[in-house]
Amino acid sequence: MKVIIVYKSIHQGNTRKIATVMAKTINADLMQPHEVDTCDLSEYDLIGFGSGIYGWRHHIDILQLAGRLPAMNMDAFIFSTRGMGSVSLCHKALKDKLLRKNFSIIGEFSCKCHNTVGPLKVIGGINKGRPNEHDMERVEEFIKNLVI
């Protein structure tokens, strides 16, 4: 199975850590949104989309990429790193865009991670030490189960 993981990671590098573990675990291609040529996505059997959560949704670069994609009738998964918030709420905007493009969402993953954005910086952030070893084990289990 040929897999590509498209991710955006900014502040702490948490999403990059998660995406890298996913890619290494299943030997997937790993790209940033600006590197993706939508014409080449048809070469893949599965596409993962992920980022940190900003204002209860994925990064604008991931959302804009999803909006530019043609209808693809492909399998996809969504992942995120977040300081707080429910996964269903945080994934809704991206999930809705992908469903409108005929993607089948076959899995979703999220983990809480160290967050020092805005006023959280004053207190040293929340979820210190995350993602941790347990989170990375969950990442590996999630991605392996998707491609079996």
Side-chain angles (χ1 to χ4, degrees):
M1 173 178 283
K2 191 167 181 183
V3 181
I4 184 171
I5 299 170
V6 183
Y7 77 99
K8 184 73 174 191
S9 185
I10 297 180
H11 296 288
Q12 302 288 330
N14 295 321
T15 306
R16 178 185 43 77
K17 292 173 189 172
I18 299 294
T20 300
V21 167
M22 287 180 178
K24 285 182 180 178
T25 300
I26 60 168
N27 195 29
D29 292 336
L30 192 58
M31 291 187 184
Q32 297 278 326
H34 69 273
E35 298 173 311
V36 175
D37 178 350
T38 57
C39 296
D40 293 338
L41 292 179
S42 62
E43 298 175 17
Y44 294 93
D45 303 304
L46 177 62
I47 305 172
F49 297 90
S51 76
I53 297 298
Y54 306 90
W56 306 105
R57 54 183 52 197
H58 284 81
H59 190 275
I60 189 68
D61 290 357
I62 293 290
L63 294 171
Q64 288 176 343
L65 173 63
R68 288 192 311 267
L69 294 174
M72 298 189 74
N73 295 315
M74 292 182 68
D75 289 339
F77 66 93
I78 297 171
F79 66 100
S80 66
T81 57
R82 66 199 190 329
M84 61 185 89
S86 77
V87 175
S88 59
L89 174 64
C90 294
H91 286 191
K92 184 176 180 356
L94 179 57
K95 188 173 187 177
D96 288 349
K97 282 183 179 282
L98 294 173
L99 290 173
R100 283 194 299 273
K101 301 291 182 156
N102 296 328
F103 281 89
S104 295
I105 309 301
I106 64 167
E108 295 182 59
F109 178 87
S110 187
C111 77
K112 289 187 177 180
C113 291
H114 189 211
N115 184 348
T116 59
V117 174
L120 297 174
K121 189 173 189 173
V122 175
I123 62 169
I126 57 173
N127 304 317
K128 293 177 186 174
R130 296 192 65 190
N132 58 29
E133 186 176 322
H134 176 69
D135 295 319
M136 294 307 183
E137 289 170 358
R138 288 181 44 237
V139 169
E140 289 177 355
E141 182 180 331
F142 167 79
I143 199 68
K144 284 178 185 176
N145 287 334
L146 281 186
V147 298
I148 291 176

